[in-house]
Amino acid sequence: MSEKISPAVIRRLPRYYRYLEELESKGLDKISSSQMSIEMGLNASQIRRDLNCFGGFGQQGYGYSVSKLKKEIAHILGLDKRYNVIIMGAGRIGQALMGYKNFMLEGFNVVDIFDNNKNIIGSDVGGRSVLGISDLDKYLKNHAIDIAIICTPKEYAQKSADLLVSFGIKAIWNFAPTDVAVRKGVAVENVHLSDSLYVLSYKFKENK
Amino acid sequence: MSEKISPAVIRRLPRYYRYLEELESKGLDKISSSQMSIEMGLNASQIRRDLNCFGGFGQQGYGYSVSKLKKEIAHILGLDKRYNVIIMGAGRIGQALMGYKNFMLEGFNVVDIFDNNKNIIGSDVGGRSVLGISDLDKYLKNHAIDIAIICTPKEYAQKSADLLVSFGIKAIWNFAPTDVAVRKGVAVENVHLSDSLYVLSYKFKENK
DNA sequence: ATGACTTTGTGAAAATAATGAAAAAAAAAT
DNA sequence: ATTTTTTTTTCATTATTTTCACAAAGTCAT
């Protein structure tokens, strides 16, 4: 059970989680891999194998308990905890994320937003006053922040990441359109919105 | 050469493209797979194999011409064309995307934004007046729109997609946190921001 | 309790993807 | 002109991921 989980499986977990949330909201108690297979468009065997990576959550002849399985996946993903989050960059994306209330519901508590631009510092974004990046050091000493979201222009993305890591941040969610590199022990997810748009463009072209 | 390209390769193309853009902006003329390998953190053999899928763009003893390779990848991804784009849903994400000028630079011309909420219809978003979804049918008959971006709440995402497809839209970029399904021949990319956040949460936990 | 049915968990096989290694081709140096 | 160096292309190998198929373990109706 403590074998290394493959990245392919990890990437599918959020999808299982979303699906289980939906089942739960419909009031379903149990679900079989074959039903999941039909509704999610994945192979049933793959689903069973994926879920089995973390322990035998299912029961023969019955299937999986929706609530139990959802709880297990939440735990694996670390969604059963609350996180304090800050945003770097109060541009459009930063502002949009600041106002995205769903994150808070999911345990990601966006507490403050930082920017370098003197014209923006002090202004209100989603009910919080934008702070200056020069205050970041002191701020992080006084606040227990788990995750930083980088929403700066790409020129500043790596610099922001370096700064954050030097101040002890251990998880970075990067929206700038460039890959941010960090030392081992720090988690990064590079979002790359435009990559997804480019793939759409490719598919569109292929369909013709 | 006309063998089917694997999805794994397609997903890497945008990254190559971004990297080549950077090289070009630095004024470099040529690049070898081994140099790319070092800077991108991929295996050199994989890079050569990926690029070779689409034809022999490289030259032995020299490497790849940056501008030629960039042009080729742009063509493969369909980035050498311009696309007219509309946005469905004038909430935070829709508004943020509407104002994201980079898309326009990259050939994705966001021309109009639609919403269902009477209080929002007619208001200004990024210099455009928000249109009502009830006008969509007529609108699409009079405008050549290639791509629709879904930024509605998840409850309306599938409905929006169905509507768009019924009016002839052939490519959908979905930001709602649910998978949107469409008939064969229509391209969809489901973005799923929160999936990426969940994976970050997982990595964060694993690093401890 | 019994038996028919359902569904998981998993070993084995198949399919994909990544890596390694070397022949072939061109460039650069002598 | 020839040799050395660089680098792609291609083929072979290895690793990873997905799918198949079935025994084992349970459910459910009677």
Side-chain angles (χ1 to χ4, degrees):
Chain A
M1 207 190 289
S2 82
E3 277 208 17
K4 211 198 155 257
I5 309 300
S6 90
V9 176
I10 301 301
R11 295 268 156 203
R12 275 191 295 271
L13 288 180
R15 216 170 138 207
Y16 293 131
Y17 185 73
R18 263 190 284 124
Y19 177 68
L20 288 163
E21 270 185 322
E22 220 169 280
L23 293 182
E24 202 171 53
S25 78
K26 283 181 190 159
L28 275 82
D29 287 338
K30 66 169 183 173
I31 185 71
S32 71
S33 62
S34 62
Q35 190 57 32
M36 284 178 84
S37 164
I38 292 164
E39 294 182 20
M40 299 185 73
L42 298 174
N43 181 292
S45 187
Q46 180 175 58
I47 294 170
R48 289 197 296 274
R49 209 163 251 280
D50 284 354
L51 299 178
N52 202 245
C53 287
F54 305 96
F57 300 144
Q59 190 165 29
Q60 283 101 329
Y62 178 86
Y64 299 87
S65 150
V66 171
S67 65
K68 184 182 159 199
L69 186 55
K70 178 173 163 255
K71 204 171 286 179
E72 290 285 357
I73 295 180
H75 180 68
I76 293 159
L77 290 172
L79 303 180
D80 50 357
K81 299 206 188 80
R82 295 198 67 79
Y83 300 92
N84 287 321
V85 181
I86 57 169
I87 295 177
M88 303 291 285
R92 280 171 212 281
I93 296 180
Q95 294 199 18
L97 291 178
M98 189 75 196
Y100 194 54
K101 295 298 169 214
N102 278 23
F103 288 149
M104 198 134 98
L105 297 174
E106 289 166 342
F108 299 89
N109 189 27
V110 183
V111 289
D112 275 301
I113 181 163
F114 290 79
D115 204 291
N116 232 344
N117 185 332
K118 277 173 192 138
N119 300 322
I120 295 174
I121 294 171
S123 67
D124 180 284
V125 170
R128 303 292 305 174
S129 177
V130 177
L131 303 175
I133 289 187
S134 52
D135 300 329
L136 189 62
D137 191 7
K138 206 199 294 179
Y139 178 92
L140 288 175
K141 281 177 183 144
N142 296 314
H143 298 76
I145 300 298
D146 306 292
I147 298 172
I149 310 182
I150 294 181
C151 300
T152 66
K154 74 173 170 190
E155 298 76 48
Y156 301 113
Q158 186 62 54
K159 271 177 205 155
S160 297
D162 294 343
L163 204 64
L164 290 160
V165 171
S166 77
F167 297 156
I169 288 289
K170 290 286 193 313
I172 291 175
W173 199 25
N174 175 38
F175 278 78
T178 179
D179 281 309
V180 150
V182 292
R183 68 167 172 73
K184 230 187 135 214
V186 179
V188 186
E189 270 285 299
N190 293 296
V191 173
H192 291 312
L193 285 184
S194 60
D195 285 17
S196 155
L197 181 58
Y198 293 172
V199 172
L200 180 67
S201 163
Y202 175 85
K203 289 180 184 172
F204 181 52
K205 189 169 144 265
E206 290 303 295
N207 272 340
K208 288 201 178 161
Chain B
M1 207 189 290
S2 81
E3 277 208 18
K4 209 197 158 261
I5 310 299
S6 90
V9 176
I10 301 301
R11 295 268 157 202
R12 276 191 294 271
L13 289 180
R15 224 176 131 201
Y16 293 131
Y17 185 72
R18 263 190 285 123
Y19 177 68
L20 288 163
E21 269 184 323
E22 222 169 278
L23 293 181
E24 202 171 55
S25 78
K26 285 181 189 159
L28 275 81
D29 288 339
K30 66 168 182 173
I31 185 72
S32 72
S33 62
S34 60
Q35 190 57 32
M36 286 178 82
S37 165
I38 293 164
E39 295 182 19
M40 299 185 74
L42 297 175
N43 182 293
S45 189
Q46 180 175 57
I47 294 171
R48 290 197 294 271
R49 203 170 238 288
D50 283 355
L51 299 178
N52 202 244
C53 287
F54 305 96
F57 300 145
Q59 189 166 30
Q60 283 102 330
Y62 177 86
Y64 299 88
S65 149
V66 170
S67 65
K68 185 183 159 199
L69 186 55
K70 179 172 162 254
K71 206 170 286 180
E72 290 285 358
I73 295 180
H75 180 69
I76 293 159
L77 290 172
L79 303 180
D80 52 354
K81 300 207 187 81
R82 295 199 67 80
Y83 300 93
N84 288 322
V85 181
I86 57 169
I87 295 177
M88 303 292 285
R92 283 173 210 280
I93 296 180
Q95 294 200 18
L97 291 177
M98 190 74 195
Y100 194 53
K101 295 297 169 215
N102 279 23
F103 288 150
M104 199 135 97
L105 296 174
E106 290 166 342
F108 298 89
N109 190 26
V110 182
V111 289
D112 275 301
I113 181 164
F114 291 78
D115 204 290
N116 232 344
N117 184 333
K118 276 172 193 139
N119 299 321
I120 295 175
I121 294 171
S123 67
D124 180 283
V125 170
R128 304 292 304 175
S129 177
V130 177
L131 303 175
I133 290 188
S134 52
D135 301 329
L136 189 62
D137 190 7
K138 208 200 293 177
Y139 178 92
L140 288 175
K141 281 177 183 144
N142 295 315
H143 298 78
I145 301 297
D146 307 292
I147 299 173
I149 310 181
I150 294 181
C151 300
T152 66
K154 75 172 169 190
E155 297 76 48
Y156 301 113
Q158 186 62 55
K159 271 177 206 156
S160 297
D162 294 344
L163 204 65
L164 289 160
V165 171
S166 78
F167 297 155
I169 289 289
K170 289 288 194 311
I172 292 175
W173 200 24
N174 174 38
F175 278 77
T178 181
D179 281 308
V180 151
V182 293
R183 67 167 173 73
K184 230 186 134 216
V186 179
V188 185
E189 270 284 301
N190 293 296
V191 174
H192 292 313
L193 285 184
S194 59
D195 285 17
S196 155
L197 181 59
Y198 294 172
V199 172
L200 180 68
S201 163
Y202 175 86
K203 288 181 182 171
F204 181 51
K205 188 168 146 266
E206 291 303 294
N207 272 340
K208 289 203 178 159

